Amino acid sequence: IKAEKYEEALSLYLKILVNLPQEPKIHSNVGVLLDHIQKNDEGLKSLMLALQLAEEHKDLTAVFAIRFNLGVHFSQQKKIGEALEQYQAALEINPASKEVKTNIELLIQNQKQDGQGESDQKQKDGENKDQKEGNNKDDKKDGDDKKEPPKSNPKYKPRPFKGDQLSEGDAKTL
């Protein structure tokens, strides 16, 4: 996995599953590998099976790791609500997890940046339309009844990264 040979790693994990079909950690790793090779639906199925097995075995360490992996899976799919739900469930098991808290913060920052990007584009589109039509706020006549809603464009400034377990590059990659 570290060598990014995901197909080879997947093949090895599938061989291990033949002997350990009830091992949740193996199913979780298979799910992560399937996500890496863009087989997201299969990855999700494997992660959900891993979660079910870990809960049946009452293996909280595995449940934590699988919830974390599900959070990553949903983040990559841009399913913010589901990702936050999984991260929150992981935090309930290990409230001190810096990795989970970092991922939640990154997820929220990315969501805000995506939302800001969309609102910036809408504002630019509106300005371009006004320029094409020759409209300008200052050109409005006193008798003009049309009121434009105020446009706000707060610039989002992410906080500097302060992590002791992950480098700034690792955090950006996540």
Side-chain angles (χ1 to χ4, degrees):
I1 293 173
K2 288 181 182 179
E4 297 182 5
K5 296 180 180 180
Y6 303 122
E7 296 279 353
E8 291 177 41
L10 180 60
S11 176
L12 292 172
Y13 274 108
L14 292 175
K15 288 178 183 176
I16 294 170
L17 272 179
V18 171
N19 293 322
L20 298 170
Q22 299 298 312
E23 180 59 45
K25 293 174 186 173
I26 303 300
H27 285 282
S28 180
N29 287 338
V30 168
V32 170
L33 286 166
L34 287 167
D35 278 349
H36 277 294
I37 61 172
Q38 306 303 316
K39 294 186 178 182
N40 300 321
D41 291 340
E42 294 172 34
L44 178 59
K45 287 178 186 175
S46 189
L47 288 168
M48 294 306 290
L49 176 58
L51 181 61
Q52 177 186 350
L53 291 170
E55 288 174 341
E56 286 173 5
H57 294 119
K58 297 182 181 12
D59 184 348
L60 289 181
T61 303
V63 171
F64 169 80
I66 296 162
R67 292 281 188 184
F68 180 87
N69 289 338
L70 282 164
V72 171
H73 170 86
F74 288 124
S75 295
Q76 292 170 343
Q77 301 300 310
K78 306 283 186 212
K79 296 180 178 179
I80 308 305
E82 290 94 329
L84 288 173
E85 183 180 317
Q86 294 302 324
Y87 286 139
Q88 187 61 42
L91 276 180
E92 289 174 11
I93 296 167
N94 182 1
S97 172
K98 290 182 181 180
E99 293 86 0
V100 174
K101 291 176 183 179
T102 299
N103 278 15
I104 290 172
E105 189 169 324
L106 289 170
L107 185 65
I108 291 170
Q109 285 178 2
N110 287 339
Q111 184 181 21
K112 286 181 181 177
Q113 287 175 348
D114 289 347
Q116 183 62 42
E118 290 173 12
S119 69
D120 284 349
Q121 186 61 42
K122 287 179 183 176
Q123 183 175 355
K124 286 179 186 176
D125 290 346
E127 288 171 1
N128 289 341
K129 182 180 176 186
D130 286 348
Q131 288 173 354
K132 287 178 186 176
E133 294 174 1
N135 293 337
N136 190 331
K137 288 182 191 176
D138 298 332
D139 293 339
K140 298 260 186 230
K141 296 177 183 166
D142 290 336
D144 199 349
D145 292 312
K146 293 183 182 178
K147 293 183 182 178
E148 285 190 31
K151 292 182 182 178
S152 64
N153 189 11
K155 291 290 180 188
Y156 175 75
K157 295 180 184 176
R159 293 182 281 167
F161 177 77
K162 294 179 184 176
D164 56 349
Q165 290 184 349
L166 295 172
S167 70
E168 184 172 355
D170 290 339
K172 286 181 180 178
T173 299
L174 289 173

